[in-house]
Coordinates of all heavy atoms in Angstrom, one line a residue:
F48 N -5.6 -178.8 46.9 CA -6.3 -177.6 46.5 C -5.4 -176.4 46.7 O -5.3 -175.5 45.8 CB -7.5 -177.5 47.5 CG -8.5 -176.4 47.1 CD1 -9.3 -176.6 46.0 CD2 -8.5 -175.2 47.8 CE1 -10.2 -175.6 45.7 CE2 -9.4 -174.3 47.5 CZ -10.3 -174.5 46.4
I49 N -4.6 -176.4 47.8 CA -3.6 -175.3 48.0 C -2.5 -175.3 47.0 O -2.1 -174.3 46.4 CB -3.1 -175.3 49.4 CG1 -4.2 -175.4 50.4 CG2 -2.0 -174.3 49.7 CD1 -4.6 -174.1 51.0
I50 N -2.0 -176.5 46.7 CA -0.9 -176.7 45.8 C -1.3 -176.2 44.4 O -0.6 -175.5 43.7 CB -0.4 -178.1 45.8 CG1 0.2 -178.5 47.1 CG2 0.7 -178.3 44.7 CD1 0.5 -180.0 47.3
E51 N -2.5 -176.6 44.0 CA -3.0 -176.2 42.7 C -3.2 -174.7 42.6 O -2.9 -174.1 41.6 CB -4.3 -176.9 42.4 CG -4.2 -178.4 42.1 CD -5.5 -179.1 42.1 OE1 -6.5 -178.5 42.3 OE2 -5.4 -180.3 41.7
G52 N -3.6 -174.1 43.7 CA -3.7 -172.6 43.7 C -2.4 -171.9 43.6 O -2.3 -170.9 42.9
L53 N -1.4 -172.5 44.2 CA 0.0 -171.9 44.1 C 0.5 -172.1 42.7 O 1.2 -171.1 42.2 CB 0.9 -172.6 45.1 CG 0.6 -172.4 46.6 CD1 1.5 -173.3 47.4 CD2 0.8 -170.9 46.9
V54 N 0.2 -173.2 42.0 CA 0.6 -173.4 40.6 C -0.1 -172.4 39.7 O 0.5 -171.8 38.8 CB 0.4 -174.8 40.2 CG1 0.6 -175.0 38.7 CG2 1.3 -175.8 41.0
L55 N -1.3 -172.1 40.0 CA -2.1 -171.1 39.2 C -1.5 -169.7 39.3 O -1.7 -168.9 38.3 CB -3.6 -171.1 39.6 CG -4.4 -172.3 39.0 CD1 -5.8 -172.2 39.5 CD2 -4.3 -172.3 37.5
I56 N -0.9 -169.4 40.4 CA -0.2 -168.1 40.5 C 0.8 -167.9 39.3 O 0.9 -166.9 38.7 CB 0.5 -167.9 41.8 CG1 -0.6 -167.8 42.9 CG2 1.3 -166.6 41.8 CD1 0.0 -167.8 44.3
L57 N 1.6 -169.0 39.1 CA 2.6 -169.0 38.1 C 2.0 -168.9 36.7 O 2.5 -168.2 35.8 CB 3.5 -170.2 38.2 CG 4.2 -170.4 39.5 CD1 5.0 -171.6 39.5 CD2 5.1 -169.2 39.7
V58 N 0.8 -169.5 36.5 CA 0.1 -169.4 35.3 C -0.4 -168.0 35.0 O -0.3 -167.4 33.9 CB -1.1 -170.4 35.2 CG1 -2.0 -170.1 34.0 CG2 -0.6 -171.8 35.3
Y59 N -0.9 -167.3 36.1 CA -1.3 -165.9 35.9 C -0.1 -165.0 35.6 O -0.2 -164.1 34.7 CB -1.9 -165.4 37.2 CG -3.3 -165.9 37.5 CD1 -3.6 -166.4 38.8 CD2 -4.3 -165.7 36.6 CE1 -4.9 -166.9 39.0 CE2 -5.6 -166.2 36.9 CZ -5.9 -166.7 38.1 OH -7.1 -167.2 38.4
I60 N 1.0 -165.3 36.1 CA 2.2 -164.5 35.9 C 2.7 -164.7 34.4 O 3.1 -163.8 33.7 CB 3.3 -164.7 36.9 CG1 2.9 -164.3 38.3 CG2 4.6 -164.1 36.5 CD1 3.7 -164.7 39.4
V61 N 2.7 -166.0 34.0 CA 3.2 -166.3 32.6 C 2.2 -165.7 31.6 O 2.7 -165.0 30.7 CB 3.3 -167.8 32.4 CG1 3.5 -168.2 31.0 CG2 4.4 -168.4 33.2
A62 N 0.9 -165.8 31.9 CA -0.1 -165.2 30.9 C 0.0 -163.7 30.9 O 0.0 -163.1 29.8 CB -1.5 -165.6 31.3
S63 N 0.3 -163.1 32.0 CA 0.4 -161.6 32.1 C 1.7 -161.1 31.4 O 1.7 -160.1 30.8 CB 0.4 -161.1 33.5 OG -0.8 -161.4 34.1
S64 N 2.8 -161.9 31.6 CA 4.0 -161.5 30.9 C 3.8 -161.6 29.4 O 4.4 -160.8 28.6 CB 5.2 -162.3 31.4 OG 5.1 -163.7 31.0
I65 N 3.1 -162.6 28.9 CA 2.8 -162.7 27.5 C 2.0 -161.6 27.0 O 2.3 -161.0 25.9 CB 2.2 -164.1 27.1 CG1 3.1 -165.2 27.3 CG2 1.6 -164.1 25.7 CD1 2.5 -166.6 27.3
A66 N 1.0 -161.2 27.7 CA 0.2 -160.0 27.4 C 1.0 -158.7 27.4 O 0.7 -157.8 26.7 CB -1.0 -159.9 28.3
N67 N 2.0 -158.7 28.2 CA 2.9 -157.5 28.4 C 3.9 -157.5 27.3 O 4.6 -156.5 27.1 CB 3.5 -157.5 29.7 CG 4.0 -156.1 30.1 OD1 3.4 -155.1 29.7 ND2 5.0 -156.0 30.9
G68 N 4.1 -158.6 26.5 CA 5.0 -158.6 25.4 C 6.3 -159.3 25.7 O 7.2 -159.4 24.9
T69 N 6.4 -159.9 26.9 CA 7.6 -160.7 27.2 C 7.2 -162.1 27.4 O 6.1 -162.4 27.4 CB 8.3 -160.1 28.5 OG1 7.4 -160.2 29.6 CG2 8.7 -158.7 28.3
R70 N 8.2 -163.0 27.5 CA 7.9 -164.4 27.7 C 8.7 -164.8 28.9 O 10.0 -164.9 28.9 CB 8.3 -165.2 26.5 CG 8.0 -166.7 26.7 CD 8.3 -167.4 25.4 NE 7.8 -168.8 25.5 CZ 8.5 -169.8 25.9 NH1 9.8 -169.7 26.3 NH2 8.0 -171.0 26.0
A71 N 8.0 -165.2 30.0 CA 8.6 -165.7 31.2 C 8.3 -167.1 31.3 O 7.1 -167.6 31.1 CB 8.1 -164.9 32.4
G72 N 9.3 -167.9 31.7 CA 9.0 -169.3 32.0 C 8.6 -169.5 33.4 O 8.4 -168.5 34.2
L73 N 8.4 -170.7 33.8 CA 8.0 -171.0 35.2 C 9.0 -170.6 36.2 O 8.7 -170.1 37.3 CB 7.6 -172.5 35.3 CG 6.3 -172.9 34.7 CD1 6.2 -174.4 34.8 CD2 5.2 -172.2 35.2
G74 N 10.3 -170.9 35.9 CA 11.3 -170.5 36.9 C 11.4 -169.0 37.0 O 11.6 -168.5 38.1
E75 N 11.4 -168.3 35.9 CA 11.4 -166.8 36.0 C 10.2 -166.2 36.7 O 10.3 -165.3 37.4 CB 11.5 -166.2 34.6 CG 12.8 -166.5 33.8 CD 12.7 -166.2 32.4 OE1 11.6 -165.9 31.9 OE2 13.7 -166.2 31.7
S76 N 9.0 -166.9 36.5 CA 7.8 -166.4 37.1 C 7.9 -166.6 38.7 O 7.5 -165.8 39.4 CB 6.6 -167.2 36.6 OG 6.4 -167.0 35.3
L77 N 8.5 -167.8 39.1 CA 8.6 -168.0 40.5 C 9.6 -167.0 41.1 O 9.3 -166.5 42.2 CB 9.1 -169.4 40.7 CG 9.2 -169.9 42.1 CD1 7.8 -169.9 42.7 CD2 9.7 -171.4 42.2
N78 N 10.7 -166.7 40.4 CA 11.6 -165.7 40.9 C 11.0 -164.3 41.0 O 11.2 -163.6 42.0 CB 12.9 -165.6 40.1 CG 13.8 -166.8 40.2 OD1 13.7 -167.5 41.3 ND2 14.6 -167.1 39.2

Side-chain angles (χ1 to χ4, degrees):
F48 191 76
I49 304 265
I50 296 168
E51 291 170 354
L53 293 173
V54 170
L55 280 179
I56 292 172
L57 300 178
V58 173
Y59 285 129
I60 294 170
V61 168
S63 296
S64 69
I65 290 172
N67 201 30
T69 59
R70 182 176 188 264
L73 288 175
E75 293 168 350
S76 298
L77 188 60
N78 288 337

